[in-house]
Amino acid sequence: MGMAPTSTVFRDETFRDDFTFKNSPETVLRAPFPFDQDEYMYSVNMELHEAGEKGTAFEKPFDVDEHYVAEMRDRALVLEEDPMRCQSLPHMTLAGWDTLELLMENLSESYPEWFVLTRDGNNWHWINRPLDIDQKFVFGDESTLPYGPMEYITRQVQGDFAILDERDDNLWMDAGMVTTQADWSLDFDIGMNFMEWHAPVPLAHEKGIFKRALKYLMSIQQGNPARRLNWTMTVNPRLDTSPENYHQWGVENTQVTADNVADKLFLRIELQTLWRLPRSNAILFPIRCYLLSMRDISTVPKWAKRFHRVLKTLPPQLSEYKGLDNYRQTAVDYLLQFDDGGETTLGTAPE
Amino acid sequence: MSANNMIDVVVTQVVEVNELVKRFHFSRPDGLALPAFSGGSHIIVEMSDGEHVRKSPYSLMSSPLDTSDYQISIRRDDEGRGGSLYMHREVRPGMSMRISAPANLFPINNRSTKHLMIAGGIGITPFIAQTAQLLATGGDFELHYGARTTELASYVDELRASIGRRLHAYIGENIDFDDLLSRQPAGTHLYVCGPEPMIELVLAKAAENGWPKGHIHFEHFAKAPPGEPFTAYLSKSNKSIQVGKDQSLLEAMEEAGVDAPYLCRGGACGQCETTVVEAEGKILHGDYWLDDEEKAAGNKIMPCVSRFCGSNLVIER
């Protein structure tokens, strides 16, 4: 694949086998750290996805960073082994075109040095310089693209994508591209509604979280995207922690030791955004994954203190649901050296 | 959440459709395309009428395939609080206005094999957009359109030209809903838009004929009615506001700089539901959101359409 002659270098790295993934110091500081206080509990923590805050992952509507090219290479490998990671039920093709339009418009506006979209009626021309792609096609005509519209564009954008159809006062997961997931399966969830696919989450149902969240999601309007952050932890910088491949990564959960925890254990942050799509009235749900090693976190004093406290006080049901039990104490012990017990400031900024 | 997705537009045409209905065309001043939308969507039109800003919802009737030109049709309401009169009397080609991005509370079910549409009067407008969309995607539909007189059967000729025999017009005659609803193939979805009594009749007939609830869709925007002025105290904002006779409680909150949530502004979507903390007097509920029990309890109010008559109203906003 070609590389663009730009100031930002896309790292040549892997998310499997030899795991050469690494964050630059700048990428650590712009990560969307998910904890705004020292204890964590579920909440409907949604806010408007207003882009523009410089030096953060929210600067552009869809964030492209130094891991872009390598992540897309990893996605292609996952799809080669398991094409069912990308599925679209027959009534979702229009939503796929909506998705393609939204992503191409935003990427070309945000990063004109890398992405160019030219439109003459339905005759579109798409240039993606980092991935060395130059494609002319007819908007709305699937036969002019190498894949369906959703698959075509989501092979070129970081993060997973689910497309939710809205009907019967509910949202239905009827299409998606899911290769960088925290242990959930599109092939299992496809066709389910919002309540069904959230059924396994502990504590939140009792708090009425999902009922309120569903109401909020269905009120999302065109031009007013929303966002929330979620998190878990992952051993090794592996993007594809899928149930399908549990046999490959499950065993790694027991391999974290005091000696290797700093570089082997990662906070996995999901920046989830929600977009109302115009023609299909569906909702696009991108889930963008950021990985921070324990060592990365230790370079930001406030984050190290706070994450130490969050992990220490996490309710056991959540620790179990998120799959942290094998290494939580090791992480807490490691982070203790960075926590002087002093107060932390509110908010998520590195300070 | 409230809409901060307003769009500047120019009125390009005002067309008198008949004695009661005018059609308004909007384009972007820079000539670029307006946002794409799906059939059944509405926009909120912002009207600066004197010192007050009024915002009313109208269905988009233009084809979702054409985003250079948005069209709405408005029936003049001489009894209303003035929104339709303002549009009829004041709005001229060349005027600058602001509208919201489209939102759809009356969408087509994309998995359905057949769409049965029933329109009454000006309730025809969302179906004009939906049938244009279904013609393009090849969806199976029939449209049954009732109107009191030929003059009031807006767009019947245009529809006959575009959808041909799929249009069934009933001018000055009743539609036999029992017959219509009892002979549809399984999997058909029903869509109704028109005057409230017609919607209620169709919903009752559909229930009698065993239609599943999830297959029935209707849209009726309540109009924010005029009424006696009243005062409301907003407990979270710590503000006391005056609601004028031609103003809704929601508009008065907005005028006071309070960011209140809304989506349909027609008492249907539930977004603006607000807790009533204290009320000495009577809440004049005008919405379709709260059920009869909730209305009687008086703990909730929908400020987009409901008013108050009494000495003291405190709401949580």
Side-chain angles (χ1 to χ4, degrees):
Chain A
M1 274 183 233
M3 290 280 182
T6 62
S7 54
T8 302
V9 178
F10 296 110
R11 296 178 53 86
D12 185 8
E13 61 190 1
T14 59
F15 299 89
R16 55 179 69 208
D17 307 323
D18 56 350
F19 296 112
T20 58
F21 166 89
K22 223 176 171 49
N23 286 312
S24 67
E26 301 76 46
T27 299
V28 171
L29 286 175
R30 64 191 295 288
F33 189 71
F35 307 108
D36 63 353
Q37 45 192 344
D38 290 351
E39 278 185 36
Y40 173 78
M41 194 48 199
Y42 288 124
S43 60
V44 184
N45 55 339
M46 282 190 258
E47 56 181 344
L48 283 179
H49 183 45
E50 285 169 329
E53 212 182 319
K54 289 231 178 297
T56 73
F58 311 131
E59 188 171 341
K60 305 291 184 191
F62 294 92
D63 183 37
V64 176
D65 67 11
E66 62 183 348
H67 306 300
Y68 174 56
V69 173
E71 279 193 41
M72 294 301 96
R73 202 179 292 145
D74 194 68
R75 164 157 295 161
L77 288 172
V78 174
L79 289 168
E80 209 172 283
E81 289 162 9
D82 185 359
M84 297 306 271
R85 302 301 188 84
C86 179
Q87 297 189 44
S88 175
L89 298 182
H91 62 283
M92 298 302 281
T93 306
L94 186 61
W97 287 110
D98 277 335
T99 301
L100 174 141
E101 178 186 51
L102 180 76
L103 292 172
M104 285 187 177
E105 274 182 357
N106 274 289
L107 291 180
S108 57
E109 267 168 40
S110 299
Y111 307 100
E113 68 278 31
W114 297 334
F115 307 100
V116 181
L117 175 66
T118 322
R119 284 180 282 194
D120 175 16
N122 285 333
N123 293 309
W124 291 29
H125 184 191
W126 171 245
I127 296 171
N128 176 336
R129 296 204 173 100
L131 296 183
D132 203 12
I133 290 170
D134 186 313
Q135 178 80 44
K136 289 182 174 149
F137 65 99
V138 178
F139 185 81
D141 181 352
E142 281 187 85
S143 70
T144 59
L145 283 176
Y147 310 98
M150 178 192 69
E151 177 167 2
Y152 179 77
I153 193 58
T154 57
R155 277 176 176 266
Q156 302 177 44
V157 188
Q158 285 169 279
D160 283 341
F161 293 83
I163 311 184
L164 317 178
D165 193 29
E166 181 172 329
R167 57 177 196 276
D168 303 343
D169 294 324
N170 213 323
L171 295 170
W172 304 77
M173 193 174 299
D174 286 349
M177 165 69 89
V178 179
T179 67
T180 68
Q181 68 282 59
D183 200 9
W184 69 281
S185 162
L186 175 71
D187 195 35
F188 185 75
D189 284 359
I190 193 140
M192 286 190 188
N193 69 37
F194 187 82
M195 292 301 170
E196 290 168 340
W197 84 70
H198 281 116
V201 183
L203 303 182
H205 288 277
E206 290 80 352
K207 302 185 80 171
I209 297 266
F210 290 122
K211 226 178 126 187
R212 271 184 290 148
L214 178 62
K215 189 178 164 193
Y216 183 95
L217 260 54
M218 292 198 299
S219 77
I220 284 172
Q221 297 169 63
Q222 220 189 124
N224 267 351
R227 69 170 172 243
R228 71 179 286 259
L229 293 168
N230 197 6
W231 69 281
T232 185
M233 295 180 80
T234 299
V235 179
N236 292 327
R238 186 188 286 281
L239 286 176
D240 177 29
T241 50
S242 57
E244 286 90 341
N245 280 343
Y246 184 78
H247 58 285
Q248 290 175 17
W249 56 269
V251 60
E252 294 173 354
N253 282 339
T254 60
Q255 295 168 355
V256 179
T257 65
D259 292 334
N260 66 20
V261 61
D263 298 300
K264 198 174 179 69
L265 186 61
F266 289 78
L267 170 63
R268 184 184 189 109
I269 306 164
E270 288 180 354
L271 167 56
Q272 308 179 343
T273 53
L274 292 141
W275 304 76
R276 175 70 70 180
L277 297 175
R279 297 172 188 79
S280 57
N281 201 42
I283 287 182
L284 179 67
F285 182 39
I287 307 158
R288 172 65 194 280
C289 171
Y290 295 84
L291 295 167
L292 290 179
S293 69
M294 292 302 102
R295 192 183 301 283
D296 288 338
I297 291 174
S298 77
T299 63
V300 185
K302 173 177 158 184
W303 290 359
K305 270 191 230 179
R306 178 159 293 165
F307 192 43
H308 173 246
R309 297 168 193 181
V310 164
L311 270 186
K312 212 170 132 181
T313 57
L314 193 69
Q317 300 99 311
L318 289 190
S319 174
E320 193 196 344
Y321 172 70
K322 289 179 182 287
L324 317 184
D325 287 352
N326 279 313
Y327 46 72
R328 176 156 72 136
Q329 194 55 47
T330 313
V332 171
D333 293 345
Y334 170 75
L335 290 168
L336 174 63
Q337 62 187 302
F338 307 104
D339 189 351
D340 59 6
E343 277 193 36
T344 52
T345 53
L346 284 176
T348 58
E351 80 200 341
Chain B
M1 101 196 75
S2 59
N4 59 1
N5 51 359
M6 299 300 283
I7 305 165
D8 291 313
V9 291
V10 173
V11 179
T12 54
Q13 277 189 72
V14 179
V15 180
E16 203 162 321
V17 180
N18 57 44
E19 58 189 85
L20 282 178
V21 175
K22 275 190 179 178
R23 183 172 73 241
F24 301 85
H25 293 241
F26 304 111
S27 290
R28 273 183 41 165
D30 54 15
L32 294 174
L34 288 155
F37 65 98
S38 47
S41 296
H42 71 268
I43 54 171
I44 307 284
V45 178
E46 197 177 279
M47 304 166 216
S48 303
D49 188 5
E51 59 193 282
H52 296 303
V53 174
R54 192 174 280 132
K55 295 181 185 175
S56 300
Y58 298 102
S59 293
L60 281 173
M61 60 171 284
S62 41
S63 166
L65 309 180
D66 179 5
T67 52
S68 65
D69 173 45
Y70 278 178
Q71 300 171 23
I72 58 173
S73 279
I74 302 179
R75 188 186 195 276
R76 199 181 72 229
D77 177 8
D78 296 321
E79 315 285 297
R81 96 209 139 89
S84 71
L85 289 177
Y86 173 84
M87 290 298 289
H88 271 249
R89 287 177 187 159
E90 307 294 334
V91 173
R92 292 190 168 73
M95 256 176 77
S96 297
M97 296 189 81
R98 293 212 315 159
I99 61 173
S100 72
N104 201 341
L105 299 171
F106 191 50
I108 289 172
N109 183 305
N110 291 318
R111 289 164 83 242
S112 164
T113 45
K114 182 181 173 185
H115 310 273
L116 175 66
M117 301 166 168
I118 300 177
I122 197 66
I124 191 66
T125 52
F127 295 120
I128 300 177
Q130 288 184 336
T131 53
Q133 182 178 329
L134 287 170
L135 280 180
T137 55
D140 183 13
F141 67 91
E142 49 186 81
L143 169 59
H144 297 260
Y145 178 19
R148 269 188 288 133
T149 65
T150 313
E151 294 73 47
L152 290 177
S154 312
Y155 305 113
V156 74
D157 295 332
E158 289 85 345
L159 280 164
R160 193 160 279 132
S162 62
I163 66 174
R165 294 199 312 181
R166 281 178 277 198
L167 174 70
H168 304 260
Y170 305 78
I171 315 290
E173 52 178 309
N174 290 327
I175 306 176
D176 185 346
F177 292 122
D178 272 319
D179 175 59
L180 191 58
L181 294 171
S182 61
R183 60 177 164 82
Q184 297 302 324
T188 304
H189 279 245
L190 170 65
Y191 307 82
V192 201
C193 184
E196 194 183 348
M198 190 198 82
I199 293 178
E200 280 179 4
L201 178 63
V202 173
L203 296 184
K205 292 289 182 193
E208 276 171 37
N209 281 280
W211 280 68
K213 229 177 148 201
H215 285 212
I216 304 169
H217 316 275
F218 60 95
E219 177 158 77
H220 182 69
F221 286 122
K223 287 201 184 101
E228 290 301 312
F230 61 97
T231 305
Y233 180 73
L234 313 178
S235 62
K236 280 193 192 159
S237 321
N238 192 19
K239 274 185 184 169
S240 186
I241 59 167
Q242 295 293 323
V243 183
K245 78 174 168 49
D246 286 328
Q247 202 178 24
S248 70
L249 175 52
L250 176 60
E251 286 167 352
M253 285 196 272
E254 288 169 341
E255 201 168 284
V258 174
D259 185 29
Y262 70 83
L263 187 49
C264 76
R265 299 183 86 93
C269 75
Q271 272 304 303
C272 70
E273 183 182 287
T274 306
T275 300
V276 174
V277 183
E278 283 172 37
E280 283 148 47
K282 192 172 163 47
I283 299 170
L284 309 169
H285 294 287
D287 62 276
Y288 299 88
W289 175 254
L290 301 173
D291 60 30
D292 290 345
E293 218 167 280
E294 289 171 312
K295 283 179 183 170
N299 303 323
K300 304 270 181 199
I301 186 169
M302 311 303 292
C304 68
V305 291
S306 300
R307 304 186 70 87
F308 179 71
C309 176
S311 54
N312 176 33
L313 175 69
V314 181
I315 60 174
E316 199 179 282
R317 182 66 70 200

